[in-house]
Amino acid sequence: MARAYLFLTVFIPLTFLFALSAIIGTLFDASGRIYAAHARLWARLSLALVAVRVTVVGAENIPAGPVIFMSNHQSNFDILALLAAMPRQLYMIAKKELFDIPVFGASMRRGGYIPLDRSDGRRALKSMDNAAAIIRSGKSVVMFPEGTRSTNYQLLPFKRGGFMLAQRAGVPVVPMTINGSGRINPAGRTRIYPGNITITLHPPILPASAASRNEAESRLMTQVHSAISSSLEL
């Protein structure tokens, strides 16, 4: 537990400083490259604080153009691992409330991250349509279809929202399996251990047409679930 508190003592001010610096960087670079470089360096420094290494397997499965990456979610370290090691500039989709956090939320907005408003059905659908348009314009995003962290490494039931978004965006979905992060920072526990995280990228899946939108979303959900499960270490 002492390791976790020492980590947070450095991580919190480091996050604030990088968020502020990234905001300034966006004033001089509208492409997002400076922001992405900030995010990658922040993630790598954060992982180095607790001796965590990340390996990416299957990078050749990432197609050209925008994609939606869908991954299992075991730990707060999943996002750090993805930002630190993925060979593609990533944008996060996050609940709207996170964008209200001082400095951090402003940094996310300036970095092009996408808020989803889940306060009611109408706003949620409008927010999803906006997100789909942003993805089609060229941004590759990351989503965790479980919606929360798993406490036993097994996949939780998927939420439907990510698959609704994938059908609306009409871009390839690349399933990812993250192993090891749950052992480094177990969900619901204030403990951090050194170790290794492996990110396995599976072949892309194209959203397919079907007799109904619900059928298409269900089919995509089943395919993504099967791909992530195929490399999951329990």
Side-chain angles (χ1 to χ4, degrees), residues 4-162:
Y5 286 124
L6 286 172
F7 171 76
L8 291 173
T9 299
V10 178
F11 177 76
I12 292 173
L14 183 72
T15 300
F16 177 84
L17 289 173
F18 267 84
L20 185 60
S21 178
I23 291 173
I24 296 171
T26 61
L27 300 176
F28 303 96
D29 172 44
S31 71
R33 287 191 293 269
I34 288 180
Y35 190 93
H38 274 78
R40 187 177 294 273
L41 181 57
W42 165 74
R44 288 180 174 177
L45 288 174
S46 299
L47 293 172
L49 288 173
V50 285
V52 173
R53 295 183 179 182
V54 183
T55 302
V56 175
V57 178
E60 68 278 5
N61 287 321
I62 304 176
V67 301
I68 296 176
F69 295 98
M70 290 195 179
S71 174
N72 60 312
H73 196 14
Q74 294 184 351
S75 163
N76 289 322
F77 276 68
D78 292 335
I79 293 174
L80 291 174
L82 291 169
L83 290 175
M86 284 288 286
R88 172 70 67 90
Q89 185 171 331
L90 299 178
Y91 298 85
M92 297 293 172
I93 294 181
K95 58 184 180 181
K96 179 178 175 292
E97 292 76 10
L98 291 178
F99 291 79
D100 296 329
I101 300 174
V103 181
F104 181 72
S107 178
M108 291 173 66
R109 288 187 185 278
R110 294 291 301 179
Y113 289 10
I114 305 170
L116 278 184
D117 187 345
R118 298 180 293 186
S119 57
D120 62 52
R122 182 176 297 179
R123 288 184 179 178
L125 286 176
K126 182 178 179 181
S127 179
M128 196 166 292
D129 286 337
N130 289 339
I134 292 171
I135 294 167
R136 286 195 300 270
S137 74
K139 290 185 175 180
S140 294
V141 302
V142 174
M143 300 192 73
F144 299 106
E146 294 166 285
T148 189
R149 291 167 294 163
S150 171
T151 58
N152 60 4
Y153 312 139
Q154 296 183 353
L155 280 178
L156 300 173
F158 284 175
K159 306 292 184 183
R160 203 169 192 88

Side-chain angles (χ1 to χ4, degrees), residues 54-62 69 85-87 174-179 197-203 231 233:
V54 183
T55 302
V56 175
V57 178
E60 68 278 5
N61 287 321
I62 304 176
F69 295 98
M86 284 288 286
V174 175
M176 302 188 296
T177 306
I178 297 179
N179 286 301
I197 296 174
T198 301
I199 301 170
T200 302
L201 299 166
H202 302 282
S231 297
E233 299 174 1

Side-chain angles (χ1 to χ4, degrees), residues 161-199:
F163 302 93
M164 293 173 62
L165 176 60
Q167 289 295 136
R168 282 170 165 76
V171 302
V173 174
V174 175
M176 302 188 296
T177 306
I178 297 179
N179 286 301
S181 64
R183 294 176 177 84
I184 288 165
N185 176 220
R189 299 175 62 188
T190 312
R191 292 188 179 276
I192 297 176
Y193 306 94
N196 301 309
I197 296 174
T198 301
I199 301 170

